[in-house]
């Protein structure tokens, strides 16, 4: 099937900094893909219709339905798709789609939960990846590493609960704006592969400790000549990922998932880091498909009855 | 005694962003004080001699000995005064003074330690405040709140051990550069007194939790309308101070200081925050003198035998 044939569905993974579009055939296979730096943050003055046309290009004239997930459904997005509370399954997400009628576009709602202290937690876009990554018959512990890493418990097509860790943002902000970056070498050098420094950071992160104290080690180890300038960023990355895994393990244990295999859904580079850190923690890593987002979009469209 | 009489000693508290000078009479009383925005960071091209003259002004001609503590003794300072390892007492600090002969200036060394995982920790300037704040016969648990808060165990004029928490820097960096600041109101409004939001943050911080997750609450509570824009900064401040106190308590317990009164040595505003948070934790707060730095400088000069 070439891109001039009509599509069965057009799916959009529309985030803060970038947007990606997928054409599906009637069997749910992705036949073509487009990407643009047209994230919600780049769209000025609410010109989302123009951004969508630019993203879709020649597909704009295609009569297929369109479904989007991600920050496009946030308060800063096109229209707000109110959060659905956990547990959330494909059917609930399909029932709560928000529609931009003029654009024939449905937006998948984000999902919310509360931790044991009653503090809310939220995701937007990850719910679609999670329900796309995990087989609807399976039960799984999943991590989506990133700026705000999400750990989730998925079972039989339902997102039961999840927890966010600000790992990626803490890393970037502390390295760029705190004293920890001052002894690190330029950011170009900063993340060149240094498995030993990363492993040492992971070990520190996996051990019990107070993060507000442990972070300071990225400075004191360098001051003492026990970490080279180009190793500071690696050690800090290891510390934060290791601590995330240790903290997420405590949460997983409460959910009856102690030492369960961890499904890592993310970019190749970040997934490799998590796989290494999980190995240090003695935790098995499970395979996941690379196309979690389009799979999830397709499944939600099916749950909405569009493919019947 | 007026400032034209010769001084017994001139003391300098010379930090990263500011410098302060004290004239002492022969009984160790401060008779006059000067301050300037001539911190180590502001001094260009190693022009420390000129900065010292500017700071001392008319006192420059005074023949009294000069003693300084703080970042002036760091690698970025005038000359490096190598760290002394804990336990460190007044005599050890006096024995390890670093001298800038041309300026008749002695610089107090910083102090280092290692935590139970062997990660180094350091302070510069705080050792002088600690040994100045606590009576040389007493045993005390002390906190110096700030960018890098220090908790210390002092007994009979010795600094036995300490631990750093990056509380102030985490607060500033996350509020200014992370997503947490986006729902907060302008920084002018951000820290206006809001005792309820601060108290809620403290309660969250004192309870067990994973900091990388708990931080995200500053966003999700605001997203859910459970925290107003002007309350975000207060809640975050409470979370970080509360968590620091909880973590420092575990350290203090290991040192046999469970539920000991906490001596808070800091600015009035920050000390009041810590006093409030310590009250939430059920911990008593002990009185400390306001002039910890000059007291410490005087005591070190005495230990050096200068006043004999």
């Amino acid at each position: 099937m070439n891109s001039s044939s009509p599509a069965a569905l057009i799916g959009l993974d529309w985030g803060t900094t970038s947007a990606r579009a997928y054409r599906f055939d009637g069997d749910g296979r992705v036949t073509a893909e487009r990407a643009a730096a047209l994230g919600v943050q780049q769209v000025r003055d609410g010109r989302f219709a123009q951004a969508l046309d630019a993203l879709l290009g020649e597909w704009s004239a295609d009569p297929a339905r369109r479904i989007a997930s991600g920050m496009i459904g946030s308060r800063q997005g096109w229209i707000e798709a109110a959060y659905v509370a956990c547990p959330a399954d494909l059917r609930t997400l399909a029932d709560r789609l928000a529609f931009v009628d003029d654009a024939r576009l449905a937006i998948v709602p984000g999902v919310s939960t509360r931790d044991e202290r009653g503090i809310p937690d939220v995701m937007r876009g990850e719910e679609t990846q999670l329900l796309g990554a995990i087989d609807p018959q399976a039960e799984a512990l999943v991590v989506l590493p990133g700026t705000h890493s999400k750990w989730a418990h998925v079972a039989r097509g339902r997102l039961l609960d999840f927890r966010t860790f600000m790992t990626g943002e803490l890393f970037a902000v502390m390295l760029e704006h705190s004293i920890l970056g001052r002894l690190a070498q330029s950011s170009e050098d900063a993340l060149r592969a240094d498995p030993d420094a990363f492993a040492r950071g992971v070990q520190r992160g996996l051990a019990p400790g107070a993060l507000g104290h442990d972070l300071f080690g990225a400075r004191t180890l360098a001051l003492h000549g026990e970490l080279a300038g180009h190793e500071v960023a690696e050690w800090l990355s290891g510390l934060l990922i290791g601590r995330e895994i240790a903290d997420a393990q405590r949460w997983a244990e409460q959910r009856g998932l102690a030492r369960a295999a961890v499904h890592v859904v993310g970019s190749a580079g970040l997934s490799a880091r998590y796989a290494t850190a999980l190995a240090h923690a003695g935790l098995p890593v499970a395979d996941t498909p690379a196309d979690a987002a389009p799979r999830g979009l397709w499944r939600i469209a099916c749950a909405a009855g569009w493919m019947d």
Side-chain angles (χ1 to χ4, degrees), chain A:
Chain A
M1 183 183 278
N2 66 53
S3 69
S4 60
S5 322
L9 178 73
I10 291 175
L12 298 150
D13 178 6
W14 200 334
T16 303
T17 56
S18 65
R20 193 168 279 276
Y22 307 92
R23 280 171 66 90
F24 295 90
D25 68 15
D27 297 318
R29 282 185 299 248
V30 172
T31 58
E33 210 174 310
R34 296 173 63 97
L38 287 167
V40 168
Q41 236 168 31
Q42 278 93 43
V43 177
R44 300 278 161 224
D45 307 319
R47 295 166 66 86
F48 291 104
Q50 291 85 340
L52 180 61
D53 280 343
L55 173 62
L56 294 182
E58 59 186 13
W59 306 354
S60 288
D62 196 304
R65 295 218 206 204
R66 300 159 179 177
I67 184 167
S69 70
M71 291 304 282
I72 191 65
S74 71
R75 220 168 287 172
Q76 290 74 43
W78 200 334
I79 53 164
E80 189 172 357
Y83 292 110
V84 168
C86 276
D89 61 10
L90 291 166
R91 181 60 187 274
T92 317
L93 296 177
D95 285 348
R96 305 279 192 86
L97 290 169
F99 290 90
V100 185
D101 293 328
D102 297 345
R104 301 192 312 282
L105 177 69
I107 301 182
V108 177
V111 175
S112 66
T113 185
R114 289 193 184 259
D115 68 19
E116 66 281 5
R117 303 269 157 193
I119 308 283
D121 204 340
V122 294
M123 60 167 57
R124 262 196 200 282
E126 291 93 346
E127 71 296 323
T128 303
Q129 289 178 269
L130 284 164
L131 296 179
I134 304 304
D135 185 279
Q137 271 66 54
E139 175 166 10
L141 174 63
V142 194
V143 59
L144 296 101
T147 307
H148 302 157
S149 285
K150 309 285 184 187
W151 285 73
H153 182 189
V154 178
R156 287 163 294 282
R158 293 165 82 83
L159 168 51
L160 296 178
D161 199 11
F162 68 92
R163 185 149 297 193
T164 301
F165 298 88
M166 298 188 74
T167 303
E169 189 157 21
L170 271 168
F171 173 75
V173 163
M174 293 304 279
L175 197 65
E176 268 180 60
H177 299 288
S178 88
I179 199 169
L180 301 186
R182 257 172 247 164
L183 295 173
Q185 277 168 14
S186 70
S187 54
E188 275 170 52
D189 294 344
L191 271 177
R192 79 178 182 214
D194 193 324
D196 181 56
F198 179 73
R200 286 166 62 200
V202 168
Q203 294 298 357
R204 183 72 200 88
L206 290 173
L211 190 60
H213 166 70
D214 296 337
L215 285 166
F216 199 53
R219 174 166 174 80
T220 55
L221 286 166
L223 270 180
H224 279 66
E226 294 167 28
L227 205 58
H230 70 275
E231 295 176 322
V232 168
E234 281 292 334
W235 188 89
L236 185 62
S237 169
L239 170 72
L240 287 166
I241 292 174
R243 186 59 46 87
E244 175 189 320
I245 289 171
D247 289 334
Q249 269 302 299
R250 265 187 295 282
W251 171 78
E253 279 164 24
Q254 291 162 18
R255 302 200 56 84
L257 295 168
R259 312 210 72 72
V262 181
H263 296 251
V264 183
V265 177
S267 68
L270 207 47
S271 295
R273 271 173 196 275
Y274 274 70
T276 302
L278 288 163
H280 280 287
L283 293 167
V285 177
D287 279 343
T288 48
D291 54 349
R295 273 180 195 239
L297 290 164
W298 176 262
R299 285 178 182 166
I300 295 167
C302 290
W306 296 358
M307 302 305 145
D308 298 347

